[in-house]
Amino acid sequence: MTIRLYDLAATEDRRLSPFCWRTKYALAHKGLEFEAVPVGFGEIPNICGGKFKTVPIIEDGATAMNESWDIADYLDRAYPERPMLFASPGERAGAVFFDNWFGPEVMLRLFRMYVLDIHNRARPEDRPYVRERREKRLGGTKLEDFVANREALLPETRDALRPIRMVLAKQPWLGGATPNYMDYIALGGFLWAASVATLPPLEKDDMLHDWLGRGFDLYGGLGRSAKTDPLAA
């Protein structure tokens, strides 16, 4: 049975959730067939009887759940005969640590630069919701004002990626010889950025481009499956 994944979508078939991207990689890693169903922000309350407020959401037969970490753990429990996302508790703990570093150090900086782009890429009917929720999160600051000096954030954002570069200078993937969930977390973040950003975050000669290209090509070009823009000018 094909698993159904509800995937946050925007205009031009762009995809607006790094967590949905990492879940797509997790499903592909397991070799599971899935259907990515594009939904807008306003459609989420209509899924599974309104049980969940955020995506990703998967339906696997009678099982429905959200939250990318819960989905990853479920996939390993439900399909232990397929390649494991976490080969050991230690590997999972390492991925948790990486996620808790990558979120505030990289994704938060990208959010600060692209919060208005998220609004502008969203479907027209979703934009009032996006603006209201994001401006509330920003303490009432208008999105346009919040990103007014975003170019100044580029140097520190690029510098924040230094630990990833240091690892990839010595091995092909964050997971070592083969990609693992740490790679999927980071690739999901960059695919989200490539889906929304009107200001490319990387320089042309950044060594990360090699890893990103190989990562986007994984699993039959999974990272090429939706509209994105170059990550460097």
Side-chain angles (χ1 to χ4, degrees), residues 101-102 106 157-165 190 202 208:
W101 169 81
F102 188 75
V106 178
T157 301
R158 291 166 177 169
D159 187 63
L161 295 165
R162 183 168 44 178
I164 296 179
R165 295 188 193 95
F190 281 106
L202 302 178
L208 291 178

Side-chain angles (χ1 to χ4, degrees), residues 58-125:
I58 66 164
E59 291 179 328
D60 184 17
T63 300
M65 66 172 54
N66 76 331
E67 301 293 345
S68 57
W69 275 102
D70 291 343
I71 292 171
D73 288 334
Y74 164 77
L75 294 176
D76 271 356
R77 290 196 310 270
Y79 300 97
E81 74 284 359
R82 293 177 176 268
M84 298 294 285
L85 288 165
F86 308 113
S88 68
E91 182 175 348
R92 187 185 186 282
V96 170
F97 176 86
F98 179 82
D99 196 19
N100 280 281
W101 169 81
F102 188 75
E105 294 299 321
V106 178
M107 291 301 294
L108 184 58
R109 286 183 166 91
L110 294 174
F111 173 83
R112 289 166 61 192
M113 290 194 294
Y114 303 139
V115 63
L116 179 61
D117 290 340
I118 297 169
H119 168 272
N120 293 342
R121 298 292 196 191
R123 294 173 175 178
E125 62 270 25

Side-chain angles (χ1 to χ4, degrees), residues 9-15 120-121 123 195 226-229:
T11 56
E12 303 180 277
D13 197 37
R14 296 175 186 270
R15 302 304 164 102
N120 293 342
R121 298 292 196 191
R123 294 173 175 178
S195 298
K227 171 69 174 177
T228 57
D229 292 315

Side-chain angles (χ1 to χ4, degrees), residues 31-227:
L32 295 165
E33 292 186 10
F34 68 95
E35 174 192 8
V37 180
V39 296
F41 287 95
E43 296 174 279
I44 296 174
N46 301 325
I47 302 169
C48 299
K51 183 178 180 181
F52 307 112
K53 295 183 179 180
T54 61
V55 290
I57 299 168
I58 66 164
E59 291 179 328
D60 184 17
T63 300
M65 66 172 54
N66 76 331
E67 301 293 345
S68 57
W69 275 102
D70 291 343
I71 292 171
D73 288 334
Y74 164 77
L75 294 176
D76 271 356
R77 290 196 310 270
Y79 300 97
E81 74 284 359
R82 293 177 176 268
M84 298 294 285
L85 288 165
F86 308 113
S88 68
E91 182 175 348
R92 187 185 186 282
V96 170
F97 176 86
F98 179 82
D99 196 19
N100 280 281
W101 169 81
F102 188 75
E105 294 299 321
V106 178
M107 291 301 294
L108 184 58
R109 286 183 166 91
L110 294 174
F111 173 83
R112 289 166 61 192
M113 290 194 294
Y114 303 139
V115 63
L116 179 61
D117 290 340
I118 297 169
H119 168 272
N120 293 342
R121 298 292 196 191
R123 294 173 175 178
E125 62 270 25
D126 288 329
R127 289 172 191 166
Y129 170 87
V130 174
R131 180 175 290 276
E132 178 185 357
R133 293 295 296 270
R134 297 303 183 271
E135 290 184 351
K136 182 178 180 180
R137 177 176 173 181
L138 299 174
T141 303
K142 287 183 63 66
L143 301 182
E144 290 80 1
D145 294 338
F146 190 78
V147 303
N149 297 311
R150 65 179 185 162
E151 290 84 358
L153 294 174
L154 280 172
E156 70 173 69
T157 301
R158 291 166 177 169
D159 187 63
L161 295 165
R162 183 168 44 178
I164 296 179
R165 295 188 193 95
M166 293 173 67
V167 172
L168 294 174
K170 297 182 178 180
Q171 59 192 45
W173 302 99
L174 297 175
T178 57
N180 72 1
Y181 202 69
M182 287 189 293
D183 291 276
Y184 307 150
I185 289 169
L187 288 168
F190 281 106
L191 279 162
W192 164 79
S195 298
V196 302
T198 56
L199 176 68
L202 302 178
E203 295 180 294
K204 285 185 177 180
D205 61 352
D206 196 314
M207 66 166 291
L208 291 178
H209 290 298
D210 174 71
W211 166 77
L212 287 165
R214 290 184 288 108
F216 292 178
D217 288 339
L218 286 171
Y219 309 119
L222 176 61
R224 315 283 184 184
S225 62
K227 171 69 174 177

